[in-house]
Amino acid sequence: MIREMTLATGFALVGQMGFADCADQVGLCETPSGGYHIELPEDENPPLVVFLHGYGGSGTGTMNNRGMVEPLLARGYAVMAPEGLERPDRGGTKSWNFYPGFGERDETAFLTEAVQDAANRFGIDPERTVLGGFSAGAFMVYYLACVAPDTFTAYVPVSGGFWRPHPEACDGPVRLFHTHGWTDNVVPLEGRLLGGGRFHQGDIFAGLEIWREANECVDTKPSGFSTTDQFMRRRWTTCADGSALEFALFPGGHNVPQGWSDMMVDWYEGLPGG
């Protein structure tokens, strides 16, 4: 019985690993600065969603989240899951270089390199690229969008934001749709202290104020409200041309929630030129 369970578990893991290849090639797509996994839809020249894993996660784990990946593929989007940096000080745990001391790789250069590599190898459309991420991956999305908003056409962080001290200002305009759990206790809406007080996750609502300023919004109050299934949404539209800012809360904790992929694609495709 134990042997049968072991074999069954092994077959299941082999099946999951199949989702983490380099399109139709076995293994990681390697670039000079790192590597990524990618899965392609049937469409030619598809748009691309790049999704960054959380602290301690992996690109393989991202691709194994079929509840997130398969709706994107069904909508005609390629899905890329880059691998974060291994941190020797944390036993090889993977994360992203969004904060001083978290790594030496230029993540903007690496992700630009990965997108161009995917365009050359697989024909994805480099002019229609969305950068998302979860938790530490969302931290990375925030910081990249702040300093280099033209790198991707839109940004869709989930459960992550800035750390304190917050940036004084960000470049804009930016097109950003932030999703967060109401009961998230890992990245609370109000932020939290880490490392005995050495680090401080920032306040999500303070981060939204930074984005409103970057987008030159004329008022702090939202322009409109809506609901999509479990998501309670608020948006700011009286802002600079070419910008977009929306925030969605869901009644859950620290996760990528069910229904996020379709909601995000609907938002992106509803943007001017989306």
Side-chain angles (χ1 to χ4, degrees):
M1 181 66 175
I2 294 176
R3 180 175 180 273
E4 291 175 356
M5 290 177 63
T6 302
L7 287 174
T9 302
F11 287 137
L13 289 174
V14 169
Q16 290 178 349
M17 288 296 287
F19 292 130
D21 289 337
C22 181
D24 58 350
Q25 306 168 32
V26 176
L28 191 70
C29 297
E30 295 185 0
T31 71
S33 301
Y36 63 89
H37 306 281
I38 192 168
E39 196 165 345
L40 305 171
E42 295 181 359
D43 311 56
E44 294 185 1
N45 194 223
L48 175 69
V49 174
V50 179
F51 200 86
L52 309 180
H53 62 76
Y55 177 81
S58 67
T60 301
T62 296
M63 298 307 289
N64 286 343
N65 184 355
R66 305 311 294 175
M68 182 188 77
V69 172
E70 289 181 3
L72 296 173
L73 295 170
R75 298 287 293 267
Y77 287 73
V79 181
M80 175 190 288
E83 293 287 355
L85 289 161
E86 292 188 358
R87 296 184 58 187
D89 62 323
R90 294 296 178 91
T93 298
K94 293 181 180 179
S95 192
W96 305 94
N97 182 25
F98 63 88
Y99 195 88
F102 282 11
E104 297 182 355
R105 184 169 67 184
D106 182 334
E107 302 289 25
T108 301
F110 164 57
L111 294 172
T112 301
E113 173 185 279
V115 169
Q116 189 58 57
D117 186 80
N120 296 340
R121 292 200 208 193
F122 308 114
I124 65 96
D125 186 350
E127 301 301 318
R128 293 184 294 161
T129 57
V130 180
L131 180 64
F134 170 67
S135 193
F139 298 151
M140 187 68 249
V141 172
Y142 253 62
Y143 282 95
L144 191 153
C146 182
V147 299
D150 293 335
T151 307
F152 291 83
T153 56
Y155 298 89
V156 291
V158 180
S159 303
F162 290 124
W163 285 34
R164 292 187 183 277
H166 294 140
E168 293 184 2
C170 288
D171 291 339
V174 67
R175 305 201 297 183
L176 185 139
F177 186 5
H178 182 125
T179 305
H180 216 100
W182 177 254
T183 59
D184 192 331
N185 204 33
V186 178
V187 183
L189 289 165
E190 299 81 6
R192 67 166 177 152
L193 295 170
L194 295 170
R198 291 186 300 121
F199 306 108
H200 194 171
Q201 291 174 355
D203 186 292
I204 298 302
F205 292 100
L208 289 171
E209 183 173 8
I210 293 171
W211 294 125
R212 288 194 298 269
E213 292 176 353
N215 283 354
E216 301 176 6
C217 298
V218 300
D219 200 349
T220 56
K221 73 178 183 67
S223 309
F225 304 86
S226 62
T227 58
T228 301
D229 299 324
Q230 64 176 329
F231 299 97
M232 298 182 295
R233 301 167 62 174
R234 55 208 300 133
R235 60 187 178 275
W236 291 264
T237 56
T238 55
C239 308
D241 290 343
S243 70
L245 182 61
E246 187 154 343
F247 180 61
L249 279 172
F250 63 94
H254 195 63
N255 61 77
V256 180
Q258 182 178 0
W260 175 81
S261 295
D262 280 314
M263 178 181 67
M264 182 276 290
V265 170
D266 288 342
W267 170 81
Y268 177 63
E269 294 184 349
L271 297 175

